[in-house]
Amino acid sequence: EILSLRKNLLITYLNIVNYEGCNKHLLWLNKKEKKRELVLSKMSKKQKRDYAYFIMNRGVYSFFIKDNLASATKDYNKALEIALSLNDENALMFDIYLQFAQILSCAGDIDNAIKFINYSKKYKNKAGVDADLNLFYFTNAKIMFENGNFTQALNSIEKSIELNKDLAQNQFTDPNYELKVEILCKLKRYDDAYNIAKDLYSRAKNYSNKENEMSVRALIILASSEVGIGKFDKAIVHLTQAKQYFSDVDNNIKRAGGEFTGDIYKLEGDIYREQQKYKYAYDTYLKALNSYKIIYKKALKNERICEVLLQLLRMSKKLEDNDMANHYFITYDETFGTEHYKKKEMMQILLEK
């Protein structure tokens, strides 16, 4: 029963973004594995199921906290192997495929994220009431967002929010609202985004008596909406706070920054661009691109990379550097292909005199 209890506690701590709590139970799991005390052949079916969920969520921690996709993939494969050895574990199969789809969508690997969310759909109806539909619609919205399908993304995240309407808004439900703000900003509904973002930050800063990841993420989300409505001074203050948090990371208990570092630079670039400080904007967008590449590595076919390449192309034209403009257009074209939704806009910017 201790395996099941610690698994449940790990999931709880992940949901409330308590990394010290996560670390405690992961250290226990790692120690047990190192001593070879978790032997599948000696486990009951329930214990195998609990173990699969435990290591699946260790993979979630590895990616979302440590930015370690390789470790997360290793745990995903191990959990899947256990699930496949069991009969009629539809909810487990659904959750494993779906969690990995979420990880891949956040790692920028959208093509594979689509593949794995489609795998999860095969088990969705069979899983019945045990299916995590909140995560399903969230992940679907994330994939739609990264593919530039913003209206569909909004519809999907609204379904996730609707499923949680009877729950208190907290660390568990806030990621839905974070993604909704991002989507609304892409749809240029900045006032709506700003109102949600203010509420997000108001809640998040009360989750702890000190700055925490939820409050810092909320700051970045708030800043994105502030840039949209022209509140640049407030956005600069909030981005500075967020940048300081990630520069002070304790690698044992805090996230290393993930795509949020790139988001900060991208929003700073937006502010410089609006202020017509094009060289500063170019340099800052380049920092954003390099930050995203650290996280996404070769999985660059996603909305964040697309947006930064577009802005680097735009700033290169403003700086009358046609060689760099051509470079960024070619990089975009090789990454996203000829049918991508930004192709026409990128071509128009490239051809501007």
Side-chain angles (χ1 to χ4, degrees), residues 290-352:
N290 290 332
S291 295
Y292 289 142
K293 283 182 175 180
I294 292 172
I295 302 303
Y296 299 143
K297 297 180 174 59
K298 294 182 180 180
L300 303 179
K301 192 178 176 182
N302 60 74
E303 178 62 20
R304 281 176 165 82
I305 294 293
C306 173
E307 180 64 25
V308 172
L309 288 175
L310 184 146
Q311 296 301 342
L312 283 166
L313 169 59
R314 179 173 278 139
M315 293 307 98
S316 296
K317 293 295 290 187
K318 292 291 185 182
L319 295 169
E320 299 182 353
D321 189 337
N322 287 324
D323 287 340
M324 288 311 299
N326 284 321
H327 166 73
Y328 289 117
F329 181 83
I330 292 169
T331 301
Y332 161 82
D333 201 42
E334 290 176 345
T335 303
F336 293 92
T338 58
E339 302 300 321
H340 191 254
Y341 83 102
K342 283 283 189 182
K343 183 65 176 284
K344 183 178 179 181
E345 184 178 359
M346 295 286 282
M347 183 66 76
Q348 287 174 339
I349 295 169
L350 182 66
L351 297 177
E352 286 176 358

Side-chain angles (χ1 to χ4, degrees), residues 19 61-68 106 213 216-217 220 242-251 253-265 288 291-292 294-296 304:
Y19 300 147
Y61 179 91
S62 294
F63 177 72
F64 285 103
I65 316 311
K66 297 301 183 181
D67 297 322
N68 190 334
C106 294
E213 185 184 312
V216 171
R217 279 161 43 181
I220 298 170
K243 190 185 293 185
Q244 185 63 42
Y245 176 85
F246 288 119
S247 69
D248 292 340
V249 157
D250 174 344
N251 284 326
I253 60 171
K254 287 186 189 174
R255 182 165 187 194
E259 74 277 11
F260 301 117
T261 304
D263 290 347
I264 292 168
Y265 286 129
S291 295
Y292 289 142
I294 292 172
I295 302 303
Y296 299 143
R304 281 176 165 82

Side-chain angles (χ1 to χ4, degrees), residues 272-302:
Y272 285 132
R273 185 194 71 225
E274 292 299 316
Q275 294 172 336
Q276 298 184 5
K277 298 177 180 179
Y278 300 131
K279 183 63 171 68
Y280 285 117
Y282 176 90
D283 291 342
T284 310
Y285 285 133
L286 190 57
K287 288 180 182 179
L289 180 63
N290 290 332
S291 295
Y292 289 142
K293 283 182 175 180
I294 292 172
I295 302 303
Y296 299 143
K297 297 180 174 59
K298 294 182 180 180
L300 303 179
K301 192 178 176 182
N302 60 74

